[in-house]
Amino acid sequence: MRYLYIAGKWTEAADGGTAQTINPFDATPLDTLAEAGTADVDAAVAAAREAFDGPWRRSTVTDRAALLAKIADLLQRDREQLAHTESLDTGKTVNEARADVDDTTAVFRYYAGVAGADAGRVVDPGRANVTSRITHEPVGVCALIAPWNYPLLQISWKLAPALAAGNTTVIKPSELTPLSTVALVGLFEEAELPPGVLNLLLGQGGTAGQALVAHPGVDLISFTGGLGTGEKIMAAAARGVRRVALELGGKNPNIVFDGTDFDTVVDNALTAAFLHSGQVCSAGARLIVQDSLHDSFVAELAARADRIRLGSGLDPQTECGPLISAAHRAKVERYVQLGLSEGADLLAGGQRPPEPNLAAGFFLRPTVFAGCHREMAVVQDEVFGPVVTVERFSTEEEAIRLGNDTAYGLAGAVWTADAGQAERVAGALRHGTVWINDYHPYLPQAEWGGFGKSGIGRELGPSGLDEYQEKKHIYHNTSPGPTHWFSG
Ligand code: TXE
């Protein structure tokens, strides 16, 4: 049984509600979870408020940086156990889960390092006997809501800067993948975080999540998840004019010009599209390939997709795990049907795997659609599964036009041997991250976020800390006197 964590105590839900989390590999139960209702949301927000108004407010940046560095150490100490938990809960390979723990550690270390690096600035007031400075203050109580594809990593992108800036927090992991977040809260307890600074709610988005974002005691909401939920959350944040940051996924172009190393580019296209079964907000799910290369490229891509080994994330031979849930696989399968009905050519996958040992899990074979064009829904919508579409282009202008022909704008890539072309295309793409001759790497010190419907705000980098800070101007007149503005 896993509990809520409110005001420094592990607790059942006030109404005794529970839910099960299951293993997506075989649909067997993994654990029972307390399921928060509105009374628990009220208690968590009240605890966060009390902590914000209490000693945490007087904590120094140095204290908070030391805490984040300690969490980084504990994450590494528990690396194997955390990776195992994450793999079981999400279905991803344990290798990828290890990389997630390492990336999470790097994020805590980064914000431990930068927390105190910028204490504000002194400005020239342009007049005598005045000093004027800008200071940074925490925003207040932050509601941090994470999705199921990178549970540990996504909550940490929010939690590390929120705490570094001196906020208090109420976090809610996805109901589908809460276990690594529960473990992370355990590490904060071990590091003796004061009660109320970090509160954990487990539960459904439509109940606990909705009550949390609607709560008037919350000053800031940071959310990563689907577009529709993001729109609801932004509407909730409007009531009371609360701050909001949203990361809402993407439909990311991966543009391939002729002339780069063939094996390298096909290999990277596979990783871009099928890492974590394509359940990645920045997945390279929309390949845009130059005419002269197209036919050999798609043939090799499909052949290699057919060889991807599916299985349990814990099996070292596995290259792709299952999708997260039956409902999510059904959504992806609807897109496969839609792609077929829209006239795309199915070159690989499109089916559940035939192996009997995979029948109970939520598997779908890596799927390659060629002959796609920009009007198809399977090209425009975020499918968020192991489905890649291939379009073709002949000129650089056409590649740019296609790459920007999306309502989203999270990430994209360009593969070319021509450095000038690489810079021109990267400069013209309207996406928050552009890779040149690579796909997927991100850096804790570099901003991450989207243009268009991919969201608002930025995580990581200095801007990721800014999201959690108020800026205050302190104007100090050291020699005050009458203004003589009014004569009477
Ligand atoms: O996400 P939701 P879902 C996309 C992807 C996927 C689609 C739907 O296309 O198919 O979203 O996935 C909480 N108030 N991404 O339905 O609902 C929920 O409990 C407050 C892209 O699983 O957005 C969970 O903690 N919270 C994405 C979190 O929101 C609410 C990653 C995300 O769930 C809520 C995941 C509400 N009303 C899915 N409703 C990315 N950007 O990487 C739900 N939640």
Side-chain angles (χ1 to χ4, degrees):
M1 176 83 186
R2 306 290 157 153
Y3 297 100
L4 317 179
Y5 188 73
I6 298 176
K9 291 197 173 60
W10 295 98
T11 167
E12 288 183 22
D15 66 3
T18 60
Q20 288 278 323
T21 178
I22 61 167
N23 184 341
F25 170 67
D26 57 7
T28 54
L30 277 179
D31 218 325
T32 304
L33 309 153
E35 179 144 279
T38 49
D40 306 297
V41 173
D42 289 345
V45 174
R49 176 63 56 197
E50 199 180 325
F52 185 71
D53 291 338
W56 185 246
R57 193 65 182 275
R58 293 186 293 279
S59 66
T60 65
V61 171
T62 312
D63 299 335
R64 300 194 298 264
L67 173 84
L68 297 185
K70 170 87 179 158
I71 295 300
D73 292 343
L74 295 176
L75 282 163
Q76 282 303 297
R77 183 197 67 189
D78 292 355
R79 180 174 186 259
E80 273 312 300
Q81 200 181 322
L82 285 164
H84 186 266
T85 300
E86 194 78 317
S87 172
L88 275 178
D89 215 13
T90 62
K92 68 176 60 182
T93 66
V94 74
N95 245 344
E96 198 197 338
R98 282 189 194 106
D100 288 0
V101 179
D102 293 347
D103 288 350
T104 302
T105 306
V107 168
F108 277 101
R109 285 208 202 292
Y110 171 70
Y111 282 113
V114 298
D118 177 7
R121 68 186 204 279
V122 174
V123 296
D124 179 358
R127 59 193 65 178
N129 302 320
V130 169
T131 60
S132 194
R133 66 188 196 274
I134 311 300
T135 62
H136 300 161
E137 294 207 359
V139 177
V141 173
C142 301
L144 311 178
I145 299 179
W148 43 260
N149 54 341
Y150 288 88
L152 187 65
L153 191 63
Q154 292 294 336
I155 201 66
S156 302
W157 285 16
K158 303 176 191 305
L159 194 53
L163 294 178
N167 298 279
T168 59
T169 59
V170 181
I171 66 175
K172 199 199 84 61
S174 167
E175 56 276 32
L176 299 172
T177 55
L179 298 180
S180 60
T181 307
V182 174
L184 177 66
V185 173
L187 299 184
F188 274 98
E189 188 184 35
E190 184 179 339
E192 298 182 350
L193 183 73
V197 175
L198 166 57
N199 302 278
L200 168 69
L201 294 174
L202 304 173
Q204 305 299 314
T207 50
Q210 186 62 40
L212 178 60
V213 298
H215 200 294
V218 167
D219 300 302
L220 177 155
I221 303 162
S222 178
F223 168 79
T224 300
L227 176 56
T229 309
E231 286 175 335
K232 274 193 218 158
I233 286 177
M234 197 161 172
R239 191 172 287 271
V241 194
R242 278 96 46 75
R243 282 205 190 192
V244 63
L246 305 170
E247 202 269 65
L248 306 176
K251 186 70 180 203
N252 311 290
N254 191 6
I255 299 172
V256 182
F257 285 89
D258 201 353
T260 56
D261 180 71
F262 184 78
D263 290 337
T264 301
V265 75
V266 173
D267 183 85
N268 277 271
L270 280 175
T271 316
F274 298 129
L275 182 79
H276 194 14
S277 301
Q279 301 168 116
V280 182
C281 50
S282 52
R286 186 179 176 196
L287 268 163
I288 298 171
V289 181
Q290 195 157 30
D291 273 334
S292 47
L293 174 70
H294 176 275
D295 293 355
S296 53
F297 183 91
V298 292
E300 181 66 6
L301 184 78
R304 289 199 54 185
D306 276 338
R307 296 201 294 271
I308 290 176
R309 290 192 300 268
L310 306 188
S312 158
L314 297 178
D315 179 345
Q317 298 302 312
T318 294
E319 295 175 323
C320 270
L323 303 193
I324 191 64
S325 66
H328 186 58
R329 179 176 60 179
K331 170 190 155 176
V332 176
E333 286 180 328
R334 279 195 298 279
Y335 272 105
V336 171
Q337 289 313 313
L338 193 58
L340 289 169
S341 68
E342 287 175 317
D345 304 327
L346 182 67
L347 300 188
Q351 307 282 336
R352 298 180 185 187
E355 296 91 324
N357 66 322
L358 304 183
F362 312 129
F363 286 92
L364 186 67
R365 285 288 326 161
T367 300
V368 177
F369 275 127
C372 296
H373 56 81
R374 56 203 283 198
E375 285 80 22
M376 293 175 169
V378 72
V379 170
Q380 289 293 337
D381 295 356
E382 184 183 52
V383 176
F384 219 65
V387 177
V388 67
T389 61
V390 189
E391 294 156 85
R392 52 202 301 165
F393 72 93
S394 52
T395 65
E396 186 179 305
E397 292 66 36
E398 200 183 348
I400 292 168
R401 198 168 58 248
L402 288 173
N404 283 335
D405 183 29
T406 168
Y408 290 104
L410 186 63
V414 52
W415 293 84
T416 173
D418 175 343
Q421 181 170 64
E423 288 299 326
R424 285 192 301 276
V425 176
L429 287 176
R430 302 272 303 157
H431 297 269
T433 294
V434 177
W435 292 288
I436 298 173
N437 296 336
D438 212 327
Y439 207 100
H440 273 324
Y442 77 92
L443 305 171
Q445 58 273 32
E447 275 74 0
W448 178 267
F451 291 25
K453 290 185 182 163
S454 288
I456 52 172
R458 288 292 180 271
E459 300 194 281
L460 303 180
S463 310
L465 186 62
D466 277 358
E467 295 282 347
Y468 295 95
Q469 291 176 329
E470 293 285 8
K471 312 283 171 177
K472 182 194 275 180
H473 175 201
I474 298 179
Y475 179 104
H476 185 180
N477 185 342
T478 55
S479 186
T483 63
H484 301 300
W485 194 263
F486 298 107
S487 54

